Amino acid sequence: MRWWLFLIAFAVTMSLDAGLMPALAVGRTVPQLWPVLLAFVAMYASRESALGAAACIGVWLDATHPALGVGRIAPSAVPVFGPHVLACMAGAWAVLEARSWLYRRNVLTLAFATVACAAFSSLAFIAIAGIRAAYADPSPLWGAGSGAGAVGADLLAALLSAAVGLVPAWALQASVPYWSFAMAGPRFGNPVRIGRSGD
Amino acid sequence: MLVSSRRILGAVLGIAAVLSALPQSAQAPWSSGLAAAVRAPLSPAVSGLAWVRDRVRAPDDPYPNLPEELRAAREDRDRLRGELDAAQLRVGQLERELGELSGYRPGERAGWRPRLASVVERGGGRPAGLLGIDVGSAQGVSQGDPVVVGGNQLVGVVAAGGDASHSWVIPVDDRRAGRIDAVLHPSGSAGLAPAGARTGNAPGSTGPRPTVLVQLVPQGGRTLVGELETGPDGRAADVRPGDSVLLSDATWRPAAQGMRIGLVESVGALDSNPLRRRITVRMEADPARLGRVVVKVQDAAGEGGSR
């Protein structure tokens, strides 16, 4: 995988998520594009590259979603690094395990992978946050409400993300030849060269 | 190369697992700085896209469909109303203190100045609800500063953990913000005239309806709930839908006192305790749909209050 291309896509995706996506919210459910990018990378890249990309996305999510801690004057917003990294890796892992039986040339496949990636990521995050809530955090990392409610809200967001992400998914699918992916051979997508083993 | 990348990945996984297990206090000293450094490269793009977002989907306007002159006049009116409510709360507090001969405290000046801010991040992802605004310690913003819109509609409070040009705001409807003490003002009074003179009282009652103290618990979704106790005379407090709910909480800064949290949406029976009633308060401003807010920045001279 060409990492410089990933970094450009990462910057565009994360900027859109933080700045523009709330404009596309349905009710209180806000779509996100990072599951689309992560699912796309996990569909084609080598296992190491996909999990590395997941770690990058997780670090960004941890930095932009601080938890609330106890403060001296007001509750403090404390970024907690780690949970989103593991959660994104779990999401990427789900796609990595499923990609062998996915027909990747179709954009709808990427939408399906987006839902799977976001759902597994959510489950992993809620599990980690639930464990942390027992000893490390004054309030759960997922915010207000119950863990089940948070999973439900995340699943709704995953479905909305997949729907909103169809256009970016189409653009990403069209860009497959430029990524130099390890798995993007003739069987899987456009006829592009098969990447090196350690890409 | 393959082995090397796997080792790196294993190390990343291990570090992430260890960090995930650490309590907040172990990460707090350094995580804010690291988060600011991670966010910094994309901040200009995020701010630009937030501007586009407000063009695509206009944020909630506290004064919709009004001409500019009337809008400015109403904003001034609500700001003055908020200051008047705050002053009345302060007068009431001083009267109580004098009544109890608890000593004399010098009066406070306003102690704050407004600072306009744009909401650059909000709502999405986990945890939902925190708002990111584009002002920080470089503009004098500090933790505990109240955040308002429309002159006197309280949105939230600035959390600790911001940086020079970025702050996080906890909306008042966020459950993690904790309980909030408030007073219920009869609708339409706003401290300008006796409530009964404008709104009429319950049948059989005379004179203005008194203000009622209540402790609210944030519920999310722009709502807070509270329980009303029966008075010493055995009668329930006279609260009706539409009554204003003003903040009156000693743990908040004086600049936040008297700011309007919202309106009483409903008053109902509390099944678990028939002697009490449950009220639901709905915020007038929707934190998820705000484009610009005003931070009441504490003056350098300082003011009292904890939060």
Side-chain angles (χ1 to χ4, degrees):
Chain A
M1 184 175 79
R2 289 189 170 130
W3 278 96
W4 63 268
L5 200 53
F6 170 77
L7 289 177
I8 292 172
F10 171 84
V12 171
T13 302
M14 298 310 161
S15 300
L16 287 170
D17 272 354
L20 191 62
M21 282 300 114
L24 303 178
V26 176
R28 304 192 77 81
T29 305
V30 181
Q32 301 280 289
L33 293 181
W34 67 261
V36 181
L37 177 63
L38 183 54
F40 169 73
V41 170
M43 286 242 290
Y44 292 106
S46 67
R47 189 168 287 262
E48 289 77 18
S49 298
L51 293 176
C56 291
I57 292 172
V59 167
W60 169 266
L61 292 177
D62 280 329
T64 54
H65 294 97
L68 273 189
V70 177
R72 189 174 55 85
I73 296 174
S76 59
V78 181
V80 175
F81 285 93
H84 276 109
V85 174
L86 295 180
C88 287
M89 284 182 163
W93 171 82
V95 180
L96 285 170
E97 291 301 310
R99 68 183 182 179
S100 61
W101 49 267
L102 290 176
Y103 178 70
R104 304 180 206 189
R105 200 175 294 181
N106 197 323
V107 171
L108 291 178
T109 307
L110 187 49
F112 170 78
T114 297
V115 174
C117 179
F120 272 82
S121 166
S122 168
L123 287 171
F125 182 84
I126 302 298
I128 294 166
I131 295 169
R132 284 183 58 89
Y135 72 95
D137 299 316
S139 59
L141 285 179
W142 60 72
S146 67
V151 171
D154 281 355
L155 290 180
L156 278 179
L159 291 171
L160 186 58
S161 300
V164 171
L166 280 175
V167 173
W170 173 82
L172 286 170
Q173 286 281 38
S175 72
V176 164
Y178 306 105
W179 287 76
S180 189
F181 282 127
M183 302 295 288
R187 180 188 160 199
F188 305 107
N190 297 326
V192 296
R193 78 178 180 84
I194 296 178
R196 297 145 294 172
S197 58
D199 62 336
Chain B
M1 183 64 187
L2 185 64
V3 174
S4 173
S5 63
R6 280 188 177 169
R7 279 185 181 167
I8 292 171
L9 195 61
V12 169
L13 196 58
I15 292 170
V18 170
L19 289 176
S20 294
L22 287 178
Q24 279 185 17
S25 55
Q27 295 207 30
W30 53 267
S31 65
S32 293
L34 178 59
V38 170
R39 283 198 315 266
L42 296 185
S43 290
V46 170
S47 297
L49 286 167
W51 182 87
V52 175
R53 174 201 67 206
D54 290 344
R55 304 285 89 69
V56 172
R57 188 170 184 172
D60 277 350
D61 186 349
Y63 310 105
N65 306 321
L66 288 181
E68 192 57 39
E69 297 80 13
L70 193 52
R71 179 191 303 263
R74 287 218 175 170
E75 190 160 353
D76 282 346
R77 179 201 66 180
D78 288 342
R79 181 177 54 78
L80 291 170
R81 179 176 288 174
E83 291 177 10
L84 182 61
D85 288 337
Q88 286 193 327
L89 286 175
R90 179 70 183 151
V91 167
Q93 181 188 347
L94 287 174
E95 284 176 346
R96 281 194 299 277
E97 288 180 358
L98 283 173
E100 295 165 0
L101 297 176
S102 59
Y104 172 74
R105 291 181 188 174
E108 295 179 46
R109 50 192 282 271
W112 60 273
R113 57 193 159 81
R115 168 66 67 175
L116 194 63
S118 293
V119 178
V120 292
E121 296 168 52
R122 64 184 178 193
R126 295 166 299 227
L130 292 193
L131 308 178
I133 57 175
D134 64 351
V135 293
S137 55
Q139 289 80 30
V141 174
S142 61
Q143 56 177 311
D145 286 341
V147 178
V148 300
V149 292
N152 67 340
Q153 297 174 23
L154 188 65
V155 173
V157 61
V158 174
D163 54 50
S165 59
H166 186 275
S167 300
W168 295 104
V169 177
I170 310 167
V172 290
D173 66 340
D174 193 311
R175 291 187 198 189
R176 297 164 296 172
R179 294 169 181 266
I180 300 171
D181 291 335
V183 292
L184 302 170
H185 267 212
S187 60
S189 73
L192 297 174
R198 277 194 196 177
T199 61
N201 292 317
S205 64
T206 57
R209 286 191 286 147
T211 57
V212 179
L213 295 171
V214 66
Q215 192 172 59
L216 299 174
V217 179
Q219 295 293 302
R222 295 173 65 189
T223 59
L224 304 91
V225 299
E227 293 180 10
L228 293 174
E229 291 188 40
T230 307
D233 56 353
R235 294 174 58 183
D238 186 10
V239 176
R240 304 170 196 170
D243 287 352
S244 295
V245 182
L246 310 180
L247 185 128
S248 176
D249 192 321
T251 63
W252 287 62
R253 289 236 166 97
Q257 308 300 325
M259 295 295 104
R260 200 155 67 184
I261 297 173
L263 300 175
V264 175
E265 186 176 56
S266 63
V267 184
L270 189 65
D271 293 338
S272 58
N273 190 343
L275 295 177
R276 293 186 174 188
R277 288 191 301 161
R278 172 192 171 101
I279 63 164
T280 303
V281 177
R282 176 164 286 270
M283 291 175 67
E284 289 176 274
D286 185 355
R289 295 200 58 197
L290 291 173
R292 294 172 85 80
V293 295
V294 171
V295 184
K296 288 183 149 186
V297 178
Q298 188 177 9
D299 271 344
E303 60 180 46
S306 307
R307 188 184 270 190

